Amino acid sequence: MPYRIVAGPIDTAAVRREVEDPGFGAILVFEGVARNEFEGRPVEALEYEAYPEMAIPVLEAIGAEVADRWPGARVSIVHRTGRLA
């Protein structure tokens, strides 16, 4: 499933496999990370939450917009939940 919420780390290799195609010249994986400070204050960790019943339709809408703008493009959007140090 290309649009999903997962608990814990995202398997970026699996995401790549979902979208790769021998006819494509590139695959872009955007992977967010936690920074060590925010507005001058240290950040020890972030706790990510999601409400799948609302989030999945938004992810699907983003994917539909990509498909409309760039026919033939493949998209997988995965949002993680849980603690990120």
Side-chain angles (χ1 to χ4, degrees):
M1 176 194 321
Y3 309 105
R4 61 191 177 282
I5 309 295
V6 298
I10 297 170
D11 181 350
T12 55
V15 174
R16 285 179 54 95
R17 285 191 299 274
E18 290 175 354
V19 298
E20 66 188 358
D21 183 290
F24 292 169
I27 296 174
L28 173 65
V29 176
F30 173 82
E31 188 174 356
V33 296
R35 63 184 94 178
N36 64 352
E37 68 173 83
F38 178 72
E39 295 182 351
R41 296 177 304 183
V43 173
E44 294 179 17
L46 299 173
E47 189 73 34
Y48 285 100
E49 298 177 347
Y51 181 54
E53 291 80 2
M54 283 178 43
I56 297 295
V58 172
L59 301 180
E60 291 171 341
I62 293 168
E65 181 179 344
V66 170
D68 287 345
R69 292 181 71 178
W70 297 285
R74 293 185 180 179
V75 179
S76 178
I77 305 173
V78 183
H79 184 302
R80 75 165 284 171
T81 60
R83 185 177 176 84
L84 181 62

